[in-house]
Amino acid sequence: MQRIYFDNAATTPLDPRVAEVMMESMRSLYGNPSSIHNEGRTARAAVEHARKQAAELLGASIGEIFFTSGGTESNNMVLKCAVRDLGVTRIISSPLEHHCVLHAADTLQRTGLAERVLVRVDAKGQPDMGHIQSLLKEERAGRTLVSLMLANNEIGTLIDLAEVGSLCKEHGALFHSDTVQAIGYYPFNLEELPVDFITGSAHKFHGPKGVGFVYINSEHTLKPFMDGGAQERNMRGGTENIAGIQGMAAALRLAHEEMDSRRAAIQGIRDYFKSKLEQHFDGLEFNGDPANGHYKLLSVGFPPSPKAELLLLNLDIAGISVSGGSACSSGADAGSHVIHALKGDDPRKTIRFSFSHHNTREEVDKAISQLIKIIPAGQPAG
Ligand code: PLP
């Protein structure tokens, strides 16, 4: 059975061209970038070339890009280092953030290092700007870090980075955005964006797993997150993942070169899928704001029923991979903190469909006909 993969917000398949770059890197660049001999210098040059490529693509300077093991590490690094090194005593975030941001902020609060405040969000998942403003106006000792994701990984809602960043600047607050779902899908010009920190993860844009980056605006100096050698300009000890770093740079380059055509393809597939769903099923709810949200993602609430309850499992058996909310690290479909924050105890079954430029209309047609078999069409899904 030819499987259909509609879970590209969880992760994306590695681009074969990226795999080639990585194979060549692993074959030939075995030197340690910290060694001063020829092999070491060659490996160092490859890492620095990748950094230059990534920085150029994002409109950052080379000294502002630090390689990490991915989005989780990058987001932890920002929150924890900002508290330790930049005098941050309060983190304003949203209940819709990825767990790596929410749990890092929780840890900081639990250990008494910073206060965590969650901003109100509306039904589409947009943060309440008035609430942020009133929080930022409060007189208090210490700095505030605002941490709001650009594109929500479960419902696709996109925030206005420039608007939030300008508000933070106005009030002297730092601004971090988890941009893991947006890197490689939207253009960035960090030179002009009022952000202090953003983060990325290669496996979300057809690069390898276990490698990512953090952008730290050159105004800020952080102490090492990982103690050890002086790698990553003393920010993160440990021998560099050369093949991963080169793979990420290649994936980012391809994502930018092909951004417009990929976007048109993905959006076309997503919209086609949405129209087919609407044609065949009654009573669906689309979470977030599909018309203005991330074009790769559609979060659908199916009316409650025993059939809907087993939808994820039955789609998997039918050869279709989707997610219930987000990919859960425990492997269990434990319900979504994002849907819960938006809708309370929602009896609907939420399924996240997320697409890539590899998907086709034929796959959509097959998925719809499987859905019709699981939940009979032409009648309310309940
Ligand atoms: N932030 C968001 C919005 C994500 O979707 C993910 C991945 O699920 C992460 C952070 C974590 O990234 P990584 O898997 O590279 O640790």
Side-chain angles (χ1 to χ4, degrees):
M1 174 172 50
Q2 187 79 29
R3 289 193 63 90
I4 296 174
Y5 187 75
F6 285 167
D7 199 16
N8 291 278
T11 195
T12 52
L14 188 68
D15 188 310
R17 294 167 293 180
V18 172
E20 262 315 303
V21 169
M22 294 179 71
M23 285 305 292
E24 184 48 34
S25 175
M26 285 187 281
R27 265 195 295 263
S28 60
L29 293 178
Y30 56 87
N32 185 325
S34 299
S35 301
I36 53 170
H37 47 60
N38 182 277
E39 289 84 345
R41 290 198 310 276
T42 312
R44 159 73 46 221
V47 169
E48 294 314 319
H49 180 68
R51 197 187 313 280
K52 184 166 181 282
Q53 260 190 327
E56 276 172 10
L57 290 164
L58 299 169
S61 67
I62 299 167
E64 294 174 317
I65 300 292
F66 297 83
F67 296 127
T68 66
S69 69
T72 299
E73 181 186 327
S74 298
N75 287 330
N76 267 270
M77 183 190 282
V78 171
L79 267 63
K80 291 174 181 171
C81 291
V83 168
R84 191 191 57 190
D85 304 329
L86 301 177
V88 167
T89 57
R90 177 175 65 165
I91 295 171
I92 298 176
S93 195
S94 129
L96 312 185
E97 296 298 308
H98 189 272
H99 276 148
C100 64
V101 167
L102 282 178
H103 292 175
D106 278 349
T107 299
L108 289 164
Q109 165 140 303
R110 212 176 38 250
T111 49
L113 295 171
E115 182 193 354
R116 187 203 75 165
V117 184
L118 296 182
V119 72
R120 285 192 294 268
V121 291
D122 70 12
K124 290 178 175 173
Q126 284 293 344
D128 179 338
M129 293 299 289
H131 189 202
I132 300 177
Q133 186 163 29
S134 68
L135 287 168
L136 290 177
K137 275 186 181 161
E138 286 172 8
E139 285 285 331
R140 51 178 293 118
R143 284 177 105 173
T144 293
L145 172 76
V146 174
S147 176
L148 292 172
M149 69 208 310
L150 171 54
N152 188 281
N153 54 305
E154 295 197 29
I155 56 171
T157 300
L158 286 168
I159 66 161
D160 187 332
L161 222 53
E163 189 188 2
V164 179
S166 304
L167 187 63
C168 291
K169 280 241 164 332
E170 223 175 276
H171 293 87
L174 298 169
F175 181 36
H176 160 243
S177 185
D178 172 353
T179 52
V180 162
Q181 291 288 345
I183 295 286
Y185 294 87
Y186 295 93
F188 279 80
N189 186 358
L190 290 165
E191 211 181 334
E192 285 176 6
L193 268 180
V195 293
D196 297 286
F197 312 98
I198 68 157
T199 54
S201 178
H203 73 97
K204 304 290 186 185
F205 50 89
H206 304 276
K209 290 166 184 58
V211 60
F213 71 87
V214 54
Y215 157 85
I216 302 175
N217 186 290
S218 58
E219 280 175 27
H220 308 300
T221 308
L222 302 179
K223 298 202 181 86
F225 180 61
M226 194 95 92
D227 289 310
Q231 288 94 345
E232 294 305 300
R233 290 183 308 295
N234 212 26
M235 271 298 295
R236 183 179 189 269
T239 303
E240 294 86 343
N241 171 7
I242 305 167
I245 289 168
Q246 287 199 294
M248 175 164 66
L252 192 61
R253 177 179 52 78
L254 291 166
H256 278 255
E257 281 170 10
E258 299 171 4
M259 193 174 279
D260 292 345
S261 60
R262 285 187 193 183
R263 181 181 179 145
I266 297 169
Q267 195 158 337
I269 292 290
R270 191 206 55 171
D271 292 349
Y272 179 63
F273 181 71
K274 182 166 180 285
S275 72
K276 286 279 168 188
L277 275 180
E278 285 167 325
Q279 186 183 328
H280 289 287
F281 298 98
D282 295 328
L284 301 178
E285 266 182 29
F286 296 99
N287 300 309
D289 187 8
N292 304 304
H294 197 316
Y295 54 88
K296 77 187 271 188
L297 203 151
L298 195 64
S299 170
V300 187
F302 288 85
S305 77
K307 285 169 192 148
E309 214 35 61
L310 293 174
L311 198 48
L312 194 67
L313 182 69
N314 282 327
L315 281 170
D316 188 30
I317 291 167
I320 300 156
S321 302
V322 297
S323 253
S326 69
C328 178
S329 50
S330 68
D333 181 15
S336 147
H337 69 282
V338 172
I339 300 298
H340 190 262
L342 291 174
K343 298 181 154 181
D345 284 329
D346 186 26
R348 286 170 172 274
K349 182 72 191 165
T350 300
I351 302 285
R352 178 186 69 180
F353 300 89
S354 50
F355 305 94
S356 84
H357 56 286
H358 298 305
N359 292 130
T360 62
R361 282 183 168 230
E362 290 69 38
E363 287 181 326
V364 168
D365 291 337
K366 278 190 198 153
I368 293 288
S369 67
Q370 289 298 337
L371 272 169
I372 292 170
K373 278 190 203 152
I374 299 166
I375 297 173
Q379 52 180 272

